[in-house]
């Protein structure tokens, strides 16, 4: 086979590539779907000349694939020139566009490597892309072209390609073992699926087998050694692979040389259940002290227990106790000796459920938890899309701190697999890592699962808003501080009840079409008018231009700009003429108020920290009647003495004069909005289409009748009072 070469990437800067990745993160399109438009009968086929497309066709490829109409023309031009300059030669231009065009296969292969998807699917797609006659064979020169695109993608992902190159060369030599110059699809896929660096490049997320490392490319900012060849990892960029679980580090080309296995996350025999033993793995213990001899451990001379994190010299491992107590995080870890692989041979009541598929082993067994006395593990749900790249980083950290079997990526099947896996436990806690929408998603799944217990839920807030997390003292957003400290706060947390409310919308005209309603459950708040209008415009703009909303700071600036625009336009002026409100059958008199918005509150936070109801001085509980709250309070004097409580089965109704008043409340210039009622039921009738939102998710609703009633209560975890200022308590 020909040797691998990498094109000079001087035409595309790292900043360009980062910008391109940001567009790709928000796109749901796949390269194979875009290619249909350029094939025979496709709407863009006139831009294709043989195997090449012209500059306009390339621009349309990007706009279609990235789902944006205003992709920057200058960036499109630089990408176009980049693909042109990377080609070693261009064949006879008589059959090609005037400027030579670019090879559509090279473009498609390049982007297919970068997009989300399964490695096997990517290998199959790239093979078929270059298999012109569909006979299942590729010339070695065609395989070289695929590898070249993969190398280019790796380079802009920050890899040190000098490490990747020999690994891919070994694969190419192996798959063409007979040196006949051709490769079958089966040989190509089999070779790729056995090449660890290539699998990491193609996006392998989790280990298929227990003891298999979960690799990712990493840049090391201090001297680090390879655990296979024991040489230092060298290079200026991402020098090697690191395992998310055990932190084993290797050169890319050493990953295929069978490094020591990763931690075992379950036991294979019921005889091993309940036997708590250390699991020693090779680790960078440099400067740590040995638990046995108390001497410092030099590089590559020690091992660490995956679960309790004790360190010992290699020669001291066999000394001391074999029992493991899971160390400082024992209150959170689901130990491997509580999980066992079980055969499904019995059938009947043991038939596989869909939720079992995530927890099934390659040999056809499924994993089951067998409760052990004294454990109260944490079931972690992670939304990797929350907070930009923040969610992915937190996911990796929890895979290391806890058992990966208790950490679930919500992109892979939602909450059901995790809830199903933990169904045998009578005591456990849930941690939701994401925004308020992610918390609502998990709470809904708990409702539908109809479990014997109702586990309490803690929140690690990611992204913006996070009103529920603020109310429960988890803060307005995770800023990257030590997660072990956060887990200790969960240990000290207390259980509180939170009301949840059902929303029923009955349109006046069934034939009048509006936006789909985002949810039928209120956890935080419901609103109509000015704030929903701002949220709807924000949501619409973010859907159209996702690259402009890729950071917390940018989001706040855009929200401020839209709020300013709403203040000037006053699109919801005279709202009282457009709706009526009844609380438990009692109509609210809005005639004397000039309102642009109505908010229905379940918690004392909205808009990322605004308390629209305001603080209430502590007084005697004048509202109770023989220990029960009244169904509705509308008296203004009594309302002034009424406080909020997320567990009192009451909603607060607040009137807003406009965007200016919302800003004043947020900044503290005004203490609260107009208190209109506290009630157990609400009916709102609207006379025209109005913007609405539930828990920050907006939509435009045609005239309708809205009924809000109590649904149930969820168990939430309230963080301990703040002892001192810290990253987790930035309000």
């Amino acid at each position: 086979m020909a040797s691998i070469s990498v094109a000079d990437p001087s035409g595309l800067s790292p900043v360009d590539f980062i910008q391109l990745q940001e567009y790709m993160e928000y796109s749901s399109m796949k390269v194979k779907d875009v290619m249909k438009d350029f094939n025979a009968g496709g709407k863009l086929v006139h831009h294709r000349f043989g195997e090449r497309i012209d500059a306009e066709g390339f621009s349309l490829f990007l706009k279609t694939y990235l789902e944006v109409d205003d992709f920057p023309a200058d960036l499109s031009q630089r990408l176009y020139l980049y693909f042109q300059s990377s080609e070693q030669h261009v064949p006879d231009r008589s059959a090609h566009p005037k400027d030579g065009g670019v090879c559509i296969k090279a473009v498609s292969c390049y982007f297919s490597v970068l997009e989300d998807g399964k490695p096997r699917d990517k290998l199959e797609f790239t093979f078929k892309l270059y298999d012109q006659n569909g006979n299942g064979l590729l010339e070695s020169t065609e395989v070289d072209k695929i590898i070249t695109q993969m190398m280019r993608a790796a380079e802009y992902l920050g890899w040190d390609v000098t490490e990747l190159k020999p690994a891919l060369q070994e694969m190419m030599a192996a798959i063409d073992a007979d040196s006949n110059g051709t490769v079958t699809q089966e040989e190509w896929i089999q070779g790729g699926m056995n090449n660890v660096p290539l699998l990491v490049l193609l996006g392998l997320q989790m280990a298929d087998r227990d003891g298999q490392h979960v690799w990712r490319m990493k840049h090391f900012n201090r001297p680090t050694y390879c655990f296979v060849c024991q040489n230092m990892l060298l290079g200026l960029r991402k020098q090697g692979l690191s395992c998310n679980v055990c932190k084993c580090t290797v050169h890319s080309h050493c990953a295929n040389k069978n490094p020591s296995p990763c931690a075992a996350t379950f036991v294979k025999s019921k005889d091993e259940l309940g036997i708590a033993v250390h699991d020693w793995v090779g680790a960078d213990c440099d400067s740590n002290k040995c638990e046995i001899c108390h001497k410092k451990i030099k590089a590559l001379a020690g091992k660490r227990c995956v679960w309790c994190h004790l360190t010992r010299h290699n020669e001291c491992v066999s000394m001391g106790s074999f029992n493991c107590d899971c160390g400082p995080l024992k209150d959170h870890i689901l130990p491997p000796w509580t999980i066992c692989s079980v055969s499904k041979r019995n059938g009947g009541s043991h038939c596989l459920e869909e939720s079992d598929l995530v927890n099934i082993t390659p040999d056809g067994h499924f994993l089951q938890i067998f409760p052990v006395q004294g454990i109260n593990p944490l079931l972690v749900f992670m939304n990797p899309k929350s907070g930009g790249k923040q969610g992915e980083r937190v996911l990796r950290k929890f895979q290391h701190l806890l058992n990966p079997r208790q950490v679930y990526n919500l992109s892979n099947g939602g909450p059901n697999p995790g809830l199903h896996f933990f169904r045998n436990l009578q005591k456990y806690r849930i941690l939701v890592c994401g925004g308020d929408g992610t918390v609502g998603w998990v709470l809904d799944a708990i409702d539908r699962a109809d479990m014997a217990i109702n586990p309490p839920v803690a929140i690690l807030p990611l992204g913006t808003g996070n009103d529920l997390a603020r109310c429960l003292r988890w803060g307005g957003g995770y800023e990257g501080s030590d997660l072990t400290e956060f887990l200790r706060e969960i240990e000290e947390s207390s259980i509180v009840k939170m009301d949840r409310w059902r929303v029923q919308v009955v349109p006046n005209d069934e034939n009048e079409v509006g936006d789909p309603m985002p949810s039928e459950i209120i956890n935080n708040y419901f609103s109509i008018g000015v704030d929903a209008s701002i949220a709807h415009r924000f949501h619409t703009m973010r859907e159209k231009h996702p690259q402009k909303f890729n950071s917390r700071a940018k989001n706040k600036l855009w929200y401020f700009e839209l709020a300013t625009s709403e203040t000037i336009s006053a699109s919801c002026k005279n709202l009282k003429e457009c709706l009526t409100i009844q609380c438990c059958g009692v109509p609210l008199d809005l005639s004397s108020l000039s309102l642009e918005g109505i908010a229905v509150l379940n918690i004392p936070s909205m808009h990322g920290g605004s308390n629209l109801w305001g603080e209430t001085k502590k007084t005697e509980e004048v509202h109770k009647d023989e220990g029960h709250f009244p169904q509705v309070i509308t008296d203004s004097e009594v309302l002034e003495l009424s406080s909020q409580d997320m567990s009192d089965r009451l909603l607060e109704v607040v009137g807003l004069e406009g965007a200016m008043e919302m800003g004043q409340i947020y900044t503290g210039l005004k203490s609260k909005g107009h208190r209109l009622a506290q009630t157990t039921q609400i009916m709102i009738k609207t006379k025209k289409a109005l913007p609405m939102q539930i828990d920050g998710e907006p939509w435009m609703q045609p005239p309708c009748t809205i009924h809000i009633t109590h649904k149930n209560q969820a168990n939430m975890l309230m963080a301990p009072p703040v002892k001192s200022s810290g990253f987790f308590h930035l309000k």
Side-chain angles (χ1 to χ4, degrees), residues 144-202:
D144 289 345
K145 293 178 182 178
I146 300 176
I147 297 295
T148 297
Q149 297 305 322
M150 292 178 174
M151 294 278 284
R152 292 166 61 198
E155 189 160 31
Y156 275 99
L157 285 171
W159 288 38
D160 186 344
V161 292
T162 58
E163 284 291 322
L164 181 63
K165 184 175 180 179
L168 294 182
Q169 284 178 326
E170 290 177 7
M171 183 191 79
M172 291 169 63
I175 62 178
D176 189 25
D178 55 5
S179 301
N180 64 357
T182 61
V183 175
T184 67
Q185 181 175 321
E186 183 180 353
E187 289 174 333
W188 167 248
I189 293 177
Q190 184 176 356
M193 293 302 291
N194 287 315
N195 189 281
V196 173
L198 181 57
L199 288 175
V200 177
L201 173 63
L202 294 177

Side-chain angles (χ1 to χ4, degrees), residues 24 43 133 190 289 393 395 472 485 507 518 574 656 683:
M24 291 182 67
K43 62 182 179 181
N133 56 14
Q190 184 176 356
K289 286 188 177 182
R393 290 193 294 270
L395 176 65
L472 295 171
E485 292 297 325
N574 298 323
L656 297 171
M683 182 176 70

Side-chain angles (χ1 to χ4, degrees), residues 429-432 435-436 438-444 446-447 454-460 467-474 490 493-500 523-524 602-603 646-647 712-719:
R429 294 165 294 198
I430 291 176
L431 172 62
V432 179
D436 289 342
T438 307
V439 178
W441 183 12
V442 173
L443 292 178
D444 288 346
I446 292 174
D447 280 350
N454 189 2
V457 178
I459 305 170
L460 179 67
D467 289 291
L468 182 54
R470 293 172 193 270
C471 296
L472 295 171
R473 294 202 288 252
W474 297 114
I490 293 180
S493 63
S494 56
I495 298 178
V496 296
K497 297 285 187 181
M498 183 186 75
D499 294 320
R500 304 182 72 229
N523 294 309
N524 300 356
N602 185 48
I603 62 173
M646 66 172 65
S647 62
N712 60 17
Q713 290 187 319
N715 287 329
M716 307 299 294
L717 286 173
M718 174 84 76

